[in-house]
Each structure stands twice: as structure tokens, then as C-alpha cells.
Amino acid sequence: MFHSRFSRQSAHATAAVASIAALGMLLAGCGAGTGSGSPSAQGSSSTTTTSVITVNNVEPSANLLPGNTNDMAGWKVVTQLFEGLVTFSDDGKLIYADAKSITPNSDASQYTITLRDGLQFSDGQKITADTYAKAWSFAANAANGQLGAAIFSTIQGYDALQDANGSKDAQLSGLKVVDDRTLQVTLNTPDSSFPYKVGDVAFLPIPESAYQDIDAFGEHPIGNGPYMLKQWDHDSSIQLTPNPHYTGPRKPKNGGVTFELYTDVQTAYADVESGNLDVIDTIPTSALATYQHESGIQAFNKPGPAFRSFTIPQRLKHFSGEEGRLRRAAISHAVNRANIIEKVLYGTATVATDFTAPTIAGYSKSLKGASVLDYNAETARKLWDQANAISPWSGVFRLAYSADSGDKQRVEGITNSIKNALGIDAQPYIIPTQKELSSAIHDRTINAAFLQGLQSDYPYPEGYLMQAYDSSAADGKGLNNGDYKSTAFDKLIDDAARQTNVDDAISYYHQAEEVLFKDLPVIPLWYANVTAAAGEHVQHVGFNYMGVPKYNEITK
């Protein structure tokens, strides 16, 4: 039910990946949540300024079809052209958009979706329950080859549509159109994540006219979002203009948005400095140490949705059973996260306090057991000595990273901290390429600890917890690359999935995280901050739950 679809590259560009890499970001298309989002804030598309805002991007890797969007470059554009059933606040709270309500049955195995009145695409085509049912079935159907198909796997009838040579018009049997405004969704198993899951880009609606020539539609889509596509000059720019038919919660406050398509983030940053670009949503590594003190720009550095950690596989010598539990806790206490963030990351990260991220619903700073993340050399040595009483330590603690990842200084900071606190030999373990490191992790041939990162593309704990630590995601079946298995953790995740109230579900997720703090299948490090910049003349620059600028609110 949890699928990883994006890997963070420079300039927030992303590409589909199958395995996790050293601090390479996996953007996982499976958050979770339950149904009582706040009502949509309706409004008009009238603007408060006629100025067009220019922002950085790269050329999308595919067309602008929601179900086929598998990179962040495309995500930035598609989510402006289309509106879905829900959207999210900056801190991960669910907000209804096209939906008026999403109501679960008693065990969250079936949902009734009610749409708002008067919904339409930018060309006037009506949006009904049938619009959503057809769009989801199209995206889920293997015959249509959509890259986002896997996220529909929890809906009844998904398996029957996985014949690449089948009918392209076949529909998901779990979708029942009750009337124009009511869609009933039957799932294979209880899933309290569903109201959040429909916030994934693949769940966006497309009009009936799209199916006449889907490829042509992907080049010039007609959507229902806050903006319309004005022009796409490939490898140059994508121009958007406000949609006069939009009545959702993201009202445009500018005269349009133009995505300037760069191949080098350094060039984009120089354009912001010179006033030729309004906003850049990532800072090149070469400028991290200085950009917050640059004159002539506004600098941004705030907590984001990317969770960073390192995994110590339990199959490594000295890291299984009670000995391993003690050594992982000792190593966690031996990492001076705050010092590394200050000295190596120039303050562009936030010390981790849980296993999710600050922009995620249910994020916590006060979970039981979180003190294991506190730097304390004395406690670290005591725990290490207790482990030595079980089996004396021998060998070298190695932390792997790839030479092409840019992680050298981070890894050196971590291993030096461990070496100094515990008095053991701790060393970076360099692997030539990220591809080789990913393969070694996936094939379970790596004989070392390794860095990794995780980000969910909709903001809820399940997107960070289930696929990364559930037993079903171990042994190469998901992102549980340390092959951690805990019946207590699995049960709490299953209990969370059956809840029909968001607070109840989060309570179970918090209990599951407290199990993780005891076992430490990964050592949490920090949350990578959103680092960005804007020209001095730009106003109202904010960032959403994905760490992406809220384009509709920017003015100048």
C-alpha cells in the first residue's frame, strides 16, 4: 500500500527509484489519516496583484498528466493546474477542496465521498463523482501505463486491472457512483490513511475530453486548479495564468506563475541575486554557508518534511538481540546532532525528535523514549560497556555513503562524534556511486551502517512509519532496509489503520514510535530544512507541507 515514487536531486528535481540511497530522498506515496478535515475555504480567483511571479524548476520528466507524474518538477506544475478532493495546511492538517466530506464506515474499509456543488474544469466541463471514478480507474489500469498506478492498490478491483494488455476503459470495481455528488469507495482492507491518501497527485481528476487523446492532453492539460496552462516551452519555461472558474482554498493572489526551467541550480541562484528570478526553492551547496547573510535577497531556512537517519542492520556482528539494542542506543547518544547541524550543515537542518517530520500531522517533540536522541557521551559509554559485558566489541564501526552524494562531511561529522564519545574506531565507508550503494543496500550485501532519507508525498505518520519499519516491508519488499521486525510495532500500525478518528489513529502511531525508540531500527538524525531565497521585492513567500513554495500566495 505504500509506494516510493520520488528521489530528491538538486533543485528539488526528482526521479523514480526502486531503492533507498545514502541521504537520497525517497518520496513515498503513502501517508495516512482519517476523515475529519476542516471544510474547504472557498473563494474566487480574483488576484490582488497583476504581477507574474517567476520561480525555478527543471523540465518535467514526463507529461503533465496527474496519474503519470513521478517527479517533483512535474508535481510542482500539476498541483497548480489541478485541485483534488483535499489539500493540506503547512503543518499537515487535512483541508477539504473538491470534497465536502469523506466519511468512513465503522472500520475504515469503505468511504463515502460527497463533492461540493458547482465544481468545474477551467473550460466549464462539470466535475462529478463519475469524473473522479473514471480518472482513478484510468490511472490504476495497467493498460494505460500510468506511473502513479500503485497508490490505488488498496481499492477493491485494483488487481483485476493489472493486465497491461487489458481494456483501457476497465473500471475499478470498488468505486460506486451513487449520484453526481456521491462516490462510494470500497477498500481491500481497513485503511484509515485513505482521506489523506487521496491528496496524492495521482488522485487528481481529469475531464472527459482528456480520454479522446490522452497524450495531447498531457501536453496541454485542462485542469480545475488555481491556475491554467498558458504555454509550455520545453526546456525553457512553463507559464501559468489564474483560472477564473476556481473556487477552492488556494485562491491566486498574483497575475500568474512562470516556471523558468534550469539545468543548473547555481545559475538559478545567480538569477535571484541579480533580480532576474523572483524565488528559488533550493540553495546550491556552494552557497549554504553564506546565503542567509547575502545582501539583496530574502533568505529562508525552516523545518521541512524530509527525515534523515542511518540504519545499522541487525545482521551485522554485535548488533543483534539485546547487545545490539544497547549498542544502537549508545551510538545514538554518541551523535552530537546539534553540533553537526551547526558546523557542517550551517544550521540548515532541525534536530530530530521523532520518526516523521515537522510538517506532518501527529509530529511530536514529547514521545516517551525520545531522550535516546540526546547527545550524552557518559550515557553512551555506560550503554556500550553494558553491551561489552554480553560480548566484547571488536572491529570498526563503518558508516557508508556514496562518493557522488555530497555526504562526505556529514558522515565524517557523525563518525567523529561516535569515535570521540565511545573511544572506538568509527570510520566513513566510501562506495563509488549512489547506484552501487543502493544496490548493496537492496541486495543486503552491504556490511556497514548506511545513511538514508525519507519523505512522504502527503503528510501523515503512516507514510513514514509503515513502509520503513513494518515487517511486511522487510526482506526487500519495501523501505525497511534494516529488516527490522517487531510484532508489537506491526500490531500498533494495524490498529491505527482501523481507526476512523484522526486523533485515535495518531495515538496508535505515537505508541508505535515509542516502540521504535526502544529498538532503534534506524538512528534518527535531523529533518532537512527548506532552504530557499527570494528577491527583495517579493512578498508573502511561504512553503507548504512538501517544502514547496505556496505559489498562489506570492506577490511582488
Side-chain angles (χ1 to χ4, degrees):
M1 63 183 289
F2 181 110
H3 68 292
S4 67
R5 299 201 291 131
F6 303 126
S7 173
R8 181 69 57 96
Q9 297 173 344
S10 65
H12 287 233
T14 53
V17 293
S19 63
I20 201 158
L23 279 199
M25 287 308 302
L26 288 188
L27 191 108
C30 192
T34 76
S36 58
S38 59
S40 64
Q42 297 184 33
S44 71
S45 62
S46 61
T47 60
T48 55
T49 175
T50 58
S51 297
V52 174
I53 306 302
T54 58
V55 299
N56 72 301
N57 203 355
V58 297
E59 175 75 10
S61 64
N63 54 30
L64 299 177
L65 197 62
N68 205 44
T69 298
N70 77 325
D71 66 334
M72 185 61 81
W75 188 95
K76 292 176 185 178
V77 180
V78 168
T79 54
Q80 303 308 306
L81 297 176
F82 294 88
E83 186 69 275
L85 295 173
V86 303
T87 185
F88 306 101
S89 69
D90 303 349
D91 58 355
K93 291 183 174 62
L94 186 148
I95 300 171
Y96 287 138
D98 274 7
K100 182 178 180 180
S101 63
I102 302 176
T103 308
N105 64 353
S106 61
D107 70 348
S109 63
Q110 188 178 81
Y111 287 84
T112 300
I113 298 168
T114 303
L115 300 179
R116 290 195 291 116
D117 286 325
L119 299 174
Q120 57 184 310
F121 290 98
S122 62
D123 66 349
Q125 294 182 70
K126 290 184 178 180
I127 297 173
T128 67
D130 188 60
T131 304
Y132 273 95
K134 285 186 176 179
W136 295 0
S137 295
F138 175 86
N141 192 335
N144 296 317
Q146 299 298 285
L147 296 170
I151 198 163
F152 297 95
S153 62
T154 53
I155 298 177
Q156 204 169 84
Y158 173 82
D159 290 345
L161 298 187
Q162 299 316 295
D163 180 1
N165 298 313
S167 169
K168 294 185 176 184
D169 298 324
Q171 303 291 294
L172 287 163
S173 62
L175 301 179
K176 179 182 178 182
V177 177
V178 178
D179 55 43
D180 278 356
R181 293 179 54 220
T182 310
L183 178 64
Q184 187 180 82
V185 184
T186 302
L187 307 178
N188 293 314
T189 58
D191 182 7
S192 65
S193 75
F194 187 73
Y196 271 72
K197 190 172 294 182
V198 296
D200 185 273
V201 65
F203 280 89
L204 294 169
I206 58 176
E208 185 69 31
S209 60
Y211 305 108
Q212 297 172 14
D213 188 337
I214 200 70
D215 291 331
F217 180 83
E219 284 294 311
H220 202 291
I222 295 168
N224 64 325
Y227 294 96
M228 304 181 297
L229 181 65
K230 180 179 180 181
Q231 188 169 331
W232 182 5
D233 295 321
H234 286 280
D235 299 309
S236 179
S237 67
I238 298 174
Q239 300 175 45
L240 310 184
T241 187
N243 172 13
H245 292 288
Y246 181 73
T247 60
R250 296 182 293 149
K251 180 177 68 173
K253 296 180 180 178
N254 49 53
V257 175
T258 295
F259 292 92
E260 300 291 353
L261 307 181
Y262 291 88
T263 57
D264 177 22
V265 68
Q266 191 70 52
T267 303
Y269 183 68
D271 280 351
V272 172
E273 289 182 300
S274 63
N276 293 321
L277 184 71
D278 293 326
V279 180
I280 184 172
D281 64 6
T282 190
I283 302 299
T285 301
S286 61
L288 279 179
T290 59
Y291 87 101
Q292 295 183 73
H293 310 291
E294 290 271 356
S295 61
I297 65 170
Q298 300 177 66
F300 301 92
N301 177 24
K302 57 170 288 184
F307 172 76
R308 313 284 196 175
S309 64
F310 65 92
T311 298
I312 308 174
Q314 298 188 42
R315 58 182 168 74
L316 297 183
K317 185 179 180 181
H318 297 297
F319 285 100
S320 62
E322 179 63 8
E323 180 193 358
R325 189 191 69 80
L326 291 167
R327 293 201 190 281
R328 285 189 295 275
I331 286 172
S332 181
H333 279 300
V335 178
N336 192 335
R337 296 163 178 81
N339 185 62
I340 296 169
I341 289 172
E342 178 187 358
K343 303 296 185 184
V344 178
L345 302 178
Y346 306 105
T348 60
T350 301
V351 173
T353 60
D354 75 348
F355 291 81
T356 61
T359 59
I360 302 306
Y363 161 70
S364 178
K365 295 182 179 180
S366 58
L367 293 176
K368 182 180 179 181
S371 59
V372 75
L373 303 182
D374 296 340
Y375 174 67
N376 190 317
E378 182 179 354
T379 300
R381 286 191 293 271
K382 287 181 179 178
L383 289 166
W384 197 257
D385 289 343
Q386 291 175 34
N388 283 340
I390 297 173
S391 176
W393 171 258
S394 61
V396 179
F397 179 78
R398 300 190 301 170
L399 183 57
Y401 74 100
S402 64
D404 60 357
S405 67
D407 290 329
K408 181 177 185 291
Q409 290 180 311
R410 296 182 182 95
V411 173
E412 288 177 347
I414 294 167
T415 53
N416 284 337
S417 186
I418 293 171
K419 182 188 300 185
N420 293 335
L422 294 177
I424 64 171
D425 190 0
Q427 299 178 3
Y429 175 38
I430 307 171
I431 292 178
T433 67
Q434 190 163 296
K435 181 178 180 180
E436 290 174 86
L437 176 59
S438 296
S439 296
I441 292 169
H442 182 268
D443 297 338
R444 304 308 193 255
T445 57
I446 191 166
N447 191 32
F450 50 88
L451 291 172
Q452 60 186 36
L454 181 67
Q455 178 175 339
S456 175
D457 60 351
Y458 46 96
Y460 207 73
E462 192 222 27
Y464 289 76
L465 301 179
M466 180 178 176
Q467 183 74 353
Y469 313 111
D470 195 86
S471 298
S472 64
D475 305 318
K477 299 174 183 176
L479 304 181
N480 184 350
N481 291 306
D483 297 327
Y484 168 71
K485 296 175 183 177
S486 165
T487 55
F489 177 85
D490 293 350
K491 182 180 185 302
L492 289 166
I493 293 295
D494 291 343
D495 288 342
R498 285 189 286 268
Q499 304 310 306
T500 58
N501 176 277
V502 64
D503 292 332
D504 292 341
I506 287 176
S507 175
Y508 281 105
Y509 287 125
H510 283 172
Q511 293 177 59
E513 288 192 84
E514 289 171 356
V515 172
L516 297 181
F517 275 127
K518 292 180 182 177
D519 298 341
L520 289 177
V522 304
I523 309 297
L525 291 170
W526 47 73
Y527 315 112
N529 283 7
V530 174
T531 57
E536 287 185 309
H537 58 288
V538 182
Q539 298 175 308
H540 307 118
V541 180
F543 301 87
N544 65 18
Y545 65 97
M546 288 288 287
V548 172
K550 292 185 287 186
Y551 301 115
N552 62 295
E553 295 186 0
I554 302 172
T555 63
K556 64 178 180 180

